[in-house]
Amino acid sequence: MTRFPPWTSIAPVLALGVLALGWGRDLPAWAALLSVVVLAAAVIAAVHHAEVVAHRVGEPLGSLVLAVAVTVIEVGLILAVMAGGGPGSDTLARDTVFAALMITLNGIVGISIVVATLRNRSVSFNAEGAGSALAAVTTLAVLSLVLPTVTISAPGPTFTPAQLAFSAVTALALWILFVVVQTVRNKELFVDGPVEGRDVATERDNHDELPTLRETRVSFALLVVALLAVVGLAKVLSPTVERTVIEADLPLSFVGVVIALLVLLPEAVSAVRSARRDQIQKSLNLAYGSAMASIGLTIPCIAIASIWLDSSVALGLSAAEIVLLGLSVAVGILTVTPGRATLLQGGVHLAIFFGFLVISVSP
């Protein structure tokens, strides 16, 4: 049986070809529009191949495949923009990471809960696993993004070299610990819980036979190609995005929001598709795992890049952003603690997400 619709194999290669043709060029309007269409096709193909790999390796390891792959390439995109200099390059990492947090903690979590609860009065998940993931995300966010704003050893929202080194080492160590706990030590805390009136485990077992090892390898290779093309096209489109942002009289920090939205689109689509199949735990694994990877991998790389490029990096959040982060954490705790969520919780998370978008456009 052929598992791959032909277009899911063609789209990543086509996107890579469009990337090669457009790299280093100032795209006209028609070429930018074509790039957006191809990028969207590559995103959907990436989700398909990530789900094939995830189905083969099982949960919760499967949820890490897409999260880590996207985040690694996201880091490369941030470093490429930083190396190029230009206005806003010293705050791009902060803007992108904070946007990724808001998108994952509120956007992906909120839309996943809404989609799942449209079919069921409520959805259940493992509160211990979701709670421990949220605790790790909160700790990393405060140590990496809040402390630079309130420390006084360095001027502005920046760390001293020693403080930045501590933040980088802690972020990487905590992310590694989280991965070990999620995939080895306590993996039972990150699997789907029961859904009211339905046997999700039986449905999942009967949903599809496992892909073969060859199919999994092909999907993994196409996933990597698709993600490279997605982030590469985001890089190619970034000058157009920057011009549009400036012409629209929007703050430069909104560029980081656009980058995060583009890069996290595959994870968002995958999370929503899982929610439609009543696999809400997988959606939460994707959301919190992406948030953890975004901080745990980005901050160490940014620390090394700041030394290599001999430049300062502003990581500290503004007062409004700290308020949004605190609200996101508080609502997240109230959502995951009962181990059950309703349509209301999803709506509250989405309200915070849209509030973040409004603040990003009009600080």
Side-chain angles (χ1 to χ4, degrees), residues 35-54:
S35 298
V36 170
V37 173
V38 173
L39 184 148
V43 164
I44 299 173
V47 171
H48 170 80
H49 292 297
E51 289 184 342
V52 172
V53 175

Side-chain angles (χ1 to χ4, degrees), residues 272-350:
V272 170
R273 291 178 65 173
S274 296
R276 290 181 60 188
R277 293 195 292 264
D278 295 323
Q279 298 174 0
I280 192 64
Q281 184 68 53
K282 182 178 179 181
S283 300
L284 295 180
N285 289 346
L286 278 167
Y288 294 140
S290 299
M292 278 291 297
S294 183
I295 304 177
L297 296 178
T298 301
I299 299 302
C301 293
I302 296 305
I304 295 174
S306 66
I307 298 173
W308 175 46
L309 299 173
D310 192 23
S311 61
S312 61
V313 179
L315 292 177
L317 300 175
S318 67
E321 291 169 333
I322 292 175
V323 169
L324 282 174
L325 178 61
L327 179 60
S328 302
V329 171
V331 171
I333 292 172
L334 295 175
T335 297
V336 303
T337 298
R340 181 184 294 267
T342 64
L343 183 63
L344 177 60
Q345 278 101 328
V348 172
H349 280 287
L350 288 180

Side-chain angles (χ1 to χ4, degrees), residues 8-345:
T8 62
S9 300
I10 296 172
V13 179
L14 177 62
L16 205 60
V18 172
L19 171 62
L21 292 175
W23 188 261
R25 299 182 181 180
D26 190 10
L27 299 181
W30 67 268
L33 180 60
L34 174 63
S35 298
V36 170
V37 173
V38 173
L39 184 148
V43 164
I44 299 173
V47 171
H48 170 80
H49 292 297
E51 289 184 342
V52 172
V53 175
H55 190 43
R56 173 73 186 192
V57 301
E59 285 297 311
L61 183 60
S63 297
L64 287 173
V65 174
L66 188 57
V68 174
V70 167
T71 305
V72 169
I73 302 176
E74 174 191 338
V75 170
L77 178 59
I78 294 174
L79 293 180
V81 176
M82 286 181 60
S89 61
D90 60 330
T91 61
L92 180 65
R94 177 199 65 192
D95 297 334
T96 306
V97 170
F98 179 68
L101 283 175
M102 292 296 102
I103 293 168
T104 53
L105 296 183
N106 295 304
I108 295 180
V109 170
I111 192 63
S112 296
I113 293 176
V114 167
V115 168
T117 52
L118 288 177
R119 299 179 58 188
N120 307 281
R121 295 177 64 87
S122 64
V123 289
S124 300
F125 47 86
N126 197 314
E128 290 182 80
S132 61
L134 180 58
V137 171
T138 303
T139 301
L140 284 183
V142 172
L143 290 179
S144 301
L145 302 177
V146 177
L147 279 185
T149 302
V150 298
T151 53
I152 59 175
S153 297
T158 59
F159 274 141
T160 65
Q163 291 170 337
L164 183 59
F166 166 78
S167 178
V169 171
T170 303
L172 183 60
L174 197 53
W175 178 76
I176 293 174
L177 180 61
F178 172 75
V179 171
V180 171
V181 169
Q182 187 184 40
T183 59
V184 181
R185 295 277 297 183
N186 301 102
K187 60 187 301 183
E188 72 280 359
L189 301 181
F190 300 89
V191 296
D192 280 297
V195 176
E196 187 175 329
R198 304 182 66 183
D199 188 350
V200 175
T202 300
E203 290 182 8
R204 186 169 59 250
D205 290 340
N206 296 332
H207 182 266
D208 260 328
E209 61 184 67
L210 285 177
T212 64
L213 184 59
R214 179 180 177 277
E215 290 169 334
T216 304
R217 288 172 176 170
V218 171
S219 269
F220 183 77
L222 289 172
L223 170 63
V224 173
V225 171
L227 291 175
L228 284 170
V230 167
V231 181
L233 287 173
K235 167 65 175 172
V236 168
L237 291 169
S238 62
T240 303
V241 172
E242 290 178 3
R243 283 199 306 270
T244 304
V245 166
I246 293 173
E247 291 172 0
D249 199 24
L250 296 173
L252 281 175
S253 60
F254 195 71
V255 175
V257 177
V258 175
I259 290 175
L261 285 170
L262 288 173
V263 171
L264 289 172
L265 188 57
E267 291 162 304
V269 174
S270 183
V272 170
R273 291 178 65 173
S274 296
R276 290 181 60 188
R277 293 195 292 264
D278 295 323
Q279 298 174 0
I280 192 64
Q281 184 68 53
K282 182 178 179 181
S283 300
L284 295 180
N285 289 346
L286 278 167
Y288 294 140
S290 299
M292 278 291 297
S294 183
I295 304 177
L297 296 178
T298 301
I299 299 302
C301 293
I302 296 305
I304 295 174
S306 66
I307 298 173
W308 175 46
L309 299 173
D310 192 23
S311 61
S312 61
V313 179
L315 292 177
L317 300 175
S318 67
E321 291 169 333
I322 292 175
V323 169
L324 282 174
L325 178 61
L327 179 60
S328 302
V329 171
V331 171
I333 292 172
L334 295 175
T335 297
V336 303
T337 298
R340 181 184 294 267
T342 64
L343 183 63
L344 177 60
Q345 278 101 328

